[in-house]
Amino acid sequence: YGAEYGIRYSFLGCTLLAFAIWWVIYFWQRNRPEDVGLEPIVTDADRQGKSVKASNEVDISIKEYMVLLSHPVVLMMGTSYFCIKFLRYALDSWLPTFLSLKGMGVDNAAYYSSIFDWTGLAGAVVAGLAMDRLFKGRWEIICLLMGFGLILGYLAVLQWGANPIMLAVCFGLVGFMLYGPDTLLCGAGTIVVAGERNAIALAGLVNGIGSIGPVIQEKVIGWLLTDQPPEVAIRNSNLLGLSMSVLYVFLMAIICIMISIRLKTHNKPKTK
């Protein structure tokens, strides 16, 4: 589309599509499962056993925001999301360049790099289904398991990424494992951790910390690609991605332990 009519029309087409979707949301958006006759996501029992204690008022003060921000679980979630957004935006920005440096034509590099996003979309759907049907709302376990898959994806990239097509396929595995946590950490996870009332505030804090990642990755990877042979530059970038994946798994493991302790304490029978 852009090649035939120009790059401006590509942006215009996406804008018109987004405008049409906005009208669909305007007329059919529902804010709660209860609005369409479904069971609530967070029950009263869940609210009592939430991992982060905070006010249930509709409007919360700056002080209460700071209480949320200083909670260890919130800090861990924000830092985990930093790792996820660092990796996701690094690949969205630089993967066509990596493929091009590996010898693939620029036009094909743009097409093959989209494998990362398509498999990521599938990963987000699978993560949501697994959370509902297999893990009974334990979002943190899904994020941890997909983190291990993320490490395997980067190991595959380092092992078989010499060929540009194999590199694109291996990054497809990375995308599948990356988008699930990206969706849960700033979505359902915030509701389960902080309760329905505080989910938006927590999502803002987690997303705010995480959004530092896309800014930093541009500078860091740009520096790694400067004055280096292509093979060395790409390998160093992938080693950085593997390191960020390991850090993410470490943080998610701590989150899982903290939430499990909280759940055991909440479910422990009270003695008279």
Side-chain angles (χ1 to χ4, degrees):
Y1 189 78
E4 186 175 353
Y5 296 101
I7 190 66
R8 294 181 179 178
Y9 283 94
S10 296
F11 286 102
L12 177 61
C14 291
T15 301
L16 293 175
L17 178 61
F19 184 69
I21 294 173
W22 180 86
W23 280 105
V24 173
I25 294 174
Y26 179 80
F27 286 110
W28 285 287
Q29 167 72 19
R30 298 297 180 266
N31 295 319
R32 304 177 305 164
E34 300 94 302
D35 294 338
V36 291
L38 298 175
E39 294 293 326
I41 295 177
V42 181
T43 64
D44 290 335
D46 293 330
R47 294 187 183 97
Q48 295 169 5
K50 63 189 179 184
S51 300
V52 177
K53 292 183 179 180
S55 172
N56 281 322
E57 299 297 326
V58 175
D59 298 317
I60 64 175
S61 65
I62 297 297
K63 180 181 179 181
E64 289 163 340
Y65 267 106
M66 297 308 296
V67 170
L68 277 174
L69 180 59
S70 63
H71 195 284
V73 173
V74 177
L75 290 173
M76 290 289 180
M77 290 178 68
T79 310
S80 298
Y81 202 43
F82 170 88
C83 297
I84 291 295
K85 295 197 79 168
F86 184 103
L87 293 171
R88 177 184 170 184
Y89 282 85
L91 293 175
D92 275 331
S93 297
W94 296 100
L95 186 51
T97 301
F98 292 167
L99 296 176
S100 177
L101 290 174
K102 284 289 187 179
M104 184 178 285
V106 176
D107 52 347
N108 285 329
Y111 286 117
Y112 277 95
S113 65
S114 67
I115 295 174
F116 168 77
D117 294 301
W118 285 111
T119 56
L121 176 62
V125 173
V126 169
L129 291 173
M131 177 179 169
D132 288 337
R133 300 183 181 183
L134 297 178
F135 292 92
K136 308 301 180 183
R138 294 295 302 272
W139 64 274
E140 73 280 3
I141 296 178
I142 300 171
C143 288
L144 178 61
L145 292 176
M146 296 190 86
F148 284 115
L150 189 58
I151 292 175
L152 290 176
Y154 265 104
L155 290 175
V157 166
L158 291 167
Q159 181 68 28
W160 295 296
N163 180 282
I165 295 179
M166 281 301 299
L167 182 65
V169 172
C170 290
F171 272 123
L173 175 60
V174 171
F176 182 90
M177 298 299 176
L178 194 60
Y179 273 60
D182 191 350
T183 303
L184 296 180
L185 267 168
C186 209
T190 61
I191 299 175
V192 176
V193 166
E196 197 171 11
R197 286 281 177 85
N198 291 288
I200 295 177
L202 180 56
L205 294 172
V206 171
N207 192 47
I209 298 172
S211 294
I212 302 172
V215 178
I216 293 179
Q217 64 81 20
E218 293 287 351
K219 292 293 185 179
V220 173
I221 295 181
W223 174 74
L224 288 175
L225 293 177
T226 302
D227 299 327
Q228 293 283 350
E231 291 294 330
V232 175
I234 294 174
R235 182 170 181 82
N236 288 341
S237 298
N238 290 333
L239 286 172
L240 174 62
L242 176 61
S243 301
M244 293 295 290
S245 302
V246 172
L247 174 60
Y248 165 75
V249 168
F250 174 74
L251 293 169
M252 281 307 310
I254 296 176
I255 291 174
C256 287
I257 293 171
M258 295 174 74
I259 292 178
S260 295
I261 292 173
R262 174 62 183 171
L263 290 174
K264 287 181 180 179
T265 303
H266 172 66
N267 295 328
K268 186 177 179 180
K270 296 181 180 180
T271 57
K272 294 183 179 180

